[in-house]
Amino acid sequence: MHGANPHGELGNPGFGGIKLFAGSSHPQLAQEIAAHLGLKLSGRDSLRFPNENIFWRLHESVRGQDVFLIQTMSSPVSDNIMELLIAIDCLRRDSASRITVVMPYMAYARSDKKDQPRVPITARLMADMIVTAGADRYITVDLHAGQIQGFFSIPGDEITGFHILSDYFAEKNLRDAVIVTADLGFAKRGRNFAAKLHHPMAFVEKRRVGNTAQSEALTVIGDVDGCDVIIVDDEISTGGSITNTVQAVKNHGARDVYVSATHAVLVGPAIERLRDLPIKEIVTTNTLPATPERMLPNLKYLSVGPLLGEVISRVHLGRSVGEMFNE
Ligand code: R5P
């Protein structure tokens, strides 16, 4: 760990000592981050009153401290968002000198534009609420679209699961593999994957039906016949896109099919759908908790804990984050 003082604490005179707090959403990831930093999570009470109101109380003062608050937006989504906002307010009112929200998965990120009449832009609302509550910075992983960074009026670091996922596939040394993306919005990130692994790319054209979660895969653009395929996407939610994409590449002669996605949202019929598909391996990260009901024998979670820990350390010490990725 960089910049630790003789007491094993990170020190940054600009914002005080570092303190880590975690909401209720993902205790395991919070522990992994803390372990990477060689720190303990600070104590707090997080209570639900009988009327469902949430209450936070810190076990120690954060006055003048550089606080990192870890909370992902997993199920129950609204509760976890509300807890995040309340925790920020609590830290602000206890005079933290800086509050950085660490939200590995940002909910509502798909609601990022008015793509039909009379709809909200909830991703913007989320950013506004986080800033209004009192956050000074944010750290997140693979936003649905990079432009969402612009919804925040505070500085942030959007890091990517790309290196963790692509390193995993690089070790497999697949021959004759093709990187396939089912989302043209993801084409650039798909291309990075293809370039790193030295594989060609193909696309599955997808149309989403209105504002429903349904999508229909149409055509495969590129050649997958006789090749292994790695389908890359930012998230698997209901599994609809993956189902269509797997079927499309299989219909076009794909051999073994792998899936790589940063966020395993896995809601509704997702697990049943994935279980029934001819997929050799689904590789994801633990930006969302790997609960027992969200496990499958061919579903592998890779930890983003060390990566987030390192980013937190660098933000605290005022060191470059891009440097980690040779940027
Ligand atoms: C869509 O724009 C995203 O890249 C994912 O393909 C989508 O969020 C996955 O959702 P689902 O699993 O419900 O099809």
Side-chain angles (χ1 to χ4, degrees):
M1 190 171 54
H2 309 279
N5 67 23
H7 309 291
E9 297 162 328
L10 286 171
N12 179 339
F15 296 102
I18 187 170
K19 288 218 186 278
L20 281 185
F21 283 86
S24 310
S25 59
H26 200 339
Q28 190 186 332
L29 178 59
Q31 288 296 350
E32 288 170 14
I33 293 171
H36 178 86
L37 289 163
L39 297 171
K40 281 205 163 84
L41 291 168
S42 293
R44 49 61 179 171
D45 294 322
S46 176
L47 310 172
R48 264 77 179 156
F49 289 118
N51 63 2
E52 297 181 16
N53 288 191
I54 297 167
F55 176 74
W56 252 58
R57 183 172 44 215
L58 310 180
H59 290 179
E60 57 195 86
S61 169
V62 294
R63 186 179 296 274
Q65 303 292 294
D66 193 14
V67 176
F68 291 81
L69 171 62
I70 303 159
Q71 177 81 323
T72 200
M73 296 186 184
S74 54
S75 174
V77 175
S78 300
D79 271 13
N80 285 331
I81 292 169
M82 199 62 209
E83 186 191 18
L84 171 68
L85 299 173
I86 291 168
I88 298 169
D89 185 71
C90 182
L91 295 162
R92 172 61 61 219
R93 290 178 193 280
D94 197 48
S95 305
S97 70
R98 182 170 71 167
I99 302 167
T100 301
V101 166
V102 183
M103 48 173 181
Y105 176 72
M106 179 179 170
Y108 289 104
R110 279 160 66 172
S111 175
D112 62 353
K113 59 183 146 329
K114 278 194 77 171
D115 52 3
Q116 50 182 311
R118 301 180 296 280
V119 295
I121 302 180
T122 314
R124 170 63 198 245
L125 175 65
M126 294 289 299
D128 283 347
M129 290 194 299
I130 289 168
V131 174
T132 302
D136 297 296
R137 298 187 62 90
Y138 69 92
I139 296 171
T140 191
V141 184
D142 282 342
L143 289 168
H144 178 62
Q147 297 90 312
I148 295 167
Q149 296 164 12
F151 293 171
F152 289 88
S153 56
I154 53 176
D157 292 287
E158 181 197 356
I159 57 167
T160 177
F162 162 73
H163 301 281
I164 294 174
L165 294 164
S166 57
D167 285 351
Y168 181 83
F169 280 101
E171 279 185 19
K172 285 191 179 294
N173 241 327
L174 297 177
R175 288 164 181 272
D176 298 328
V178 179
I179 305 298
V180 170
T181 170
D183 183 357
L184 291 181
F186 202 72
K188 188 166 169 234
R189 284 185 267 185
R191 205 161 46 232
N192 293 341
F193 225 95
K196 176 161 173 182
L197 298 180
H198 307 292
H199 294 319
M201 271 202 86
F203 300 90
V204 172
E205 191 206 357
K206 177 181 80 172
R207 247 174 236 172
R208 202 159 273 287
V209 184
N211 60 358
T212 68
Q214 294 170 35
S215 65
E216 180 194 2
L218 300 170
T219 29
V220 177
I221 305 165
D223 191 10
V224 296
D225 194 12
C227 300
D228 290 340
V229 158
I230 306 173
I231 300 170
V232 294
D233 209 341
D234 59 337
E235 66 174 52
I236 307 171
S237 185
T238 64
S241 300
I242 290 299
T243 303
N244 291 332
T245 310
V246 171
Q247 284 163 355
V249 296
K250 277 288 184 189
N251 290 343
H252 284 73
R255 218 162 40 193
D256 288 341
V257 176
Y258 298 83
V259 173
S260 166
T262 305
H263 307 293
V265 185
L266 302 181
V267 290
I271 286 291
E272 284 69 32
R273 282 175 167 166
L274 294 177
R275 187 181 285 127
D276 291 344
L277 287 170
I279 303 176
K280 186 132 189 187
E281 195 172 13
I282 304 159
V283 186
T284 186
T285 76
N286 64 345
T287 56
L288 292 157
T291 49
E293 64 282 6
R294 298 164 67 258
M295 300 287 237
L296 285 172
N298 62 344
L299 174 57
K300 182 163 189 70
Y301 287 87
L302 304 176
S303 179
V304 289
L307 179 66
L308 287 171
E310 184 59 26
V311 173
I312 289 171
S313 163
R314 284 170 179 261
V315 169
H316 174 63
L317 295 170
R319 295 185 57 211
S320 164
V321 170
E323 217 171 54
M324 288 168 67
F325 311 106
N326 298 322
E327 288 165 357

